Amino acid sequence: MSSNSNLIRFGSIAAVTVGVLLAGYFTFQAFASDEKKQITNREKPAAAAPRGEPNTLVLPVIDFNTFNNREKDPETYRKECEKVADAFHRYGLVIVRDPRVSESDNHKFLNTMEKYFESSDGVRDARPEIGYQIGVTGEGVERARNHCARVGAYGPDDKPLSPCPPEFDKKWRFFWRIGPVPEKTEFPQMNMDPVIPPEFPEWKDTMNMWGGKMINAVYTLAEMAAVGFNMPADAFTSRMQCGPHLLAPTGSDFNKYNTVGHILAGYHYDLNFMTIHGKSRFPGLYVWTREGKKMTVNIPDGCLLVQAGKQYEYMTGGHVLAGFHEVVITPATVETINRRRDAGESLWRVSSTLFSHIASDQTLQPLPPFVNPDTVQNFPPIKAGNQVKAELEAISLLK
């Protein structure tokens, strides 16, 4: 009996031991399998857009309420300013929400400009003798600078649709001066009185309404950017006073151009300080990041898109680059065209754009903390008026 008892006791111990070992083995395998899945999921890249289809650039929305509450909550305000500076450095553009600007304001402006472009002959209200810097510019007048060398370095998915060398743009534009003019200036042609189409009695009020809201938004953003870059708060805004700020809506006629691939505005950067837009009724804008990646931009309703221009690049010594972009007809554009045609709505694509400028008599040069031997060499001092004049000549607006 004693021998049998020992055998039974040994068998029980062995069974328990094997059970523990088996349980440990399967537990380890399950853990290892889960860990392998987690590692695989971590290392798996996000799904890329189909070849030839740009990704959408997702930007943080800058809340101007932090500006309005900056004295009550300075830490939140500073963090929001740092977001502004970071977005401009990385992408050359930023999206803002300004409680002073409503989507209904944007629609009122777009409605007026649709009616204007539908009726304009592109000649009566044009002022070619001053580089079209006030009044209307018809299609086939403006042509982007030649950036073929730059484009040649892009990968196949990041090349613009715009041809090289560039062709004349199919878009129209109307320039309306916003803000006070300088009492004395070396550049009177940049500061002329506006053109008022007589068929639109509401013209002046509508233009000043939207243009005033846009320039106010730029002033706010310029101050936030300066704070984000650890510059004096008025580093940019003091240089904007009495600048030749231009409300500059574009118009593209989809009654005439309505197939995929048409280039409305060729691949280019803006020559001014900051460019601000309300949301367009038609898609088709492509932008390029600092690394040369081609992207689309989703602008939430009620928000504004702001892009850095060449004057911004100059004053930051290239820390902020003028953002390249183009406007083309895409499949999504055609869908919108068809939907609006069926609804009996206007087929003019209007951008609610304003070009903010540094004052013509101000000197463009890198500002602290962007001053170093390289930036001083690459961005020699130049009057803003002379810089604008050279750019207008390069894009065929001034001869």
Side-chain angles (χ1 to χ4, degrees):
M1 292 293 293
S2 176
S3 175
N4 290 337
S5 176
N6 288 336
L7 285 172
I8 292 171
R9 186 181 299 112
F10 175 79
S12 299
I13 293 171
V16 170
T17 302
V18 170
V20 170
L21 290 172
L22 287 172
Y25 171 78
F26 287 117
T27 299
F28 172 79
Q29 290 287 31
F31 174 80
S33 177
D34 286 345
E35 180 66 12
K36 183 177 180 180
K37 289 178 182 176
Q38 291 174 12
I39 292 172
T40 301
N41 289 337
R42 283 199 303 267
E43 293 177 349
K44 184 178 180 181
R51 185 173 179 83
E53 291 295 323
N55 290 311
T56 298
L57 181 61
V58 179
L59 294 167
V61 176
I62 303 304
D63 186 0
F64 277 5
N65 281 317
T66 60
F67 177 85
N68 299 331
N69 296 320
R70 60 193 181 282
E71 294 182 0
K72 295 180 181 178
D73 191 352
E75 184 58 29
T76 298
Y77 173 62
R78 172 161 286 281
K79 288 180 179 178
E80 200 75 356
C81 292
E82 290 171 352
K83 283 168 56 179
V84 171
D86 180 67
F88 271 129
H89 171 63
R90 294 173 63 189
Y91 309 116
L93 66 160
V94 69
I95 292 175
V96 303
R97 188 182 300 278
D98 188 341
R100 299 167 295 187
V101 183
S102 69
E103 194 64 22
S104 62
D105 295 331
N106 188 31
H107 287 309
K108 180 179 180 181
F109 177 74
L110 292 176
N111 291 341
T112 297
M113 292 312 305
E114 286 173 354
K115 293 175 183 177
Y116 174 79
F117 286 126
E118 287 167 355
S119 62
S120 175
D121 63 3
V123 176
R124 185 198 64 185
D125 298 332
R127 301 294 183 269
E129 66 276 10
I130 55 171
Y132 296 92
Q133 290 306 284
I134 57 169
V136 73
T137 306
E139 70 170 273
V141 174
E142 184 176 346
R143 178 170 55 187
R145 275 180 177 266
N146 188 323
H147 297 291
C148 295
R150 182 186 186 94
V151 168
Y154 289 161
D157 291 343
D158 295 315
K159 292 187 183 297
L161 298 178
S162 305
C164 275
E167 299 174 348
F168 286 97
D169 286 345
K170 295 179 174 66
K171 73 175 186 299
W172 294 49
R173 193 188 295 284
F174 195 100
F175 277 147
W176 175 267
R177 173 62 188 260
I178 293 294
V181 299
E183 293 183 4
K184 295 181 180 180
T185 177
E186 294 179 31
F187 308 95
Q189 71 275 21
M190 307 291 178
N191 299 276
M192 302 295 288
D193 292 333
V195 174
I196 302 177
E199 301 86 356
F200 293 83
E202 76 281 14
W203 186 267
K204 185 175 181 180
D205 289 342
T206 301
M207 301 297 271
N208 287 338
M209 177 276 296
W210 185 251
K213 289 175 182 288
M214 292 299 94
I215 196 61
N216 287 339
V218 171
Y219 268 98
T220 298
L221 189 64
E223 182 169 329
M224 293 182 72
V227 172
F229 288 131
N230 292 314
M231 304 167 74
D234 67 346
F236 298 129
T237 57
S238 62
R239 291 169 169 81
M240 293 171 60
Q241 298 295 330
C242 294
H245 312 302
L246 293 169
L247 186 59
T250 60
S252 300
D253 187 1
F254 289 151
N255 297 287
K256 186 175 181 181
Y257 304 108
N258 47 40
T259 56
V260 172
H262 267 120
I263 312 301
L264 306 175
Y267 175 82
H268 69 287
Y269 62 76
D270 292 339
L271 63 88
N272 52 297
F273 175 44
M274 290 187 194
T275 302
I276 185 168
H277 318 261
K279 187 171 183 175
S280 173
R281 289 171 172 167
F282 294 87
L285 172 68
Y286 290 149
V287 302
W288 277 259
T289 67
R290 190 180 189 92
E291 292 77 25
K293 303 304 292 181
K294 180 181 180 180
M295 311 285 277
T296 62
V297 181
N298 181 30
I299 307 174
D301 289 342
C303 290
L304 307 168
L305 175 67
V306 186
Q307 297 169 285
K310 201 66 175 179
Q311 293 178 346
Y312 203 158
E313 180 176 328
Y314 223 94
M315 292 186 293
T316 61
H319 184 76
V320 173
L321 297 178
F324 280 87
H325 50 285
E326 69 178 358
V327 181
V328 303
I329 297 181
T330 67
T333 315
V334 173
E335 290 179 8
T336 305
I337 291 171
N338 293 335
R339 185 172 64 250
R340 288 181 65 86
R341 181 187 289 116
D342 292 343
E345 297 173 329
S346 175
L347 295 185
W348 277 83
R349 182 193 189 276
V350 175
S351 69
S352 46
T353 302
L354 178 134
F355 295 137
S356 70
H357 279 259
I358 299 303
S360 303
D361 297 277
Q362 287 279 349
T363 298
L364 292 175
Q365 57 189 348
L367 304 175
F370 305 110
V371 179
N372 60 56
D374 288 339
T375 61
V376 170
Q377 180 179 355
N378 294 333
F379 298 92
I382 184 174
K383 288 282 185 76
N386 287 327
Q387 176 260 341
V388 170
K389 183 174 179 292
E391 293 280 358
L392 293 178
E393 291 172 347
I395 60 176
S396 302
L397 287 183
L398 191 63
K399 301 187 188 297

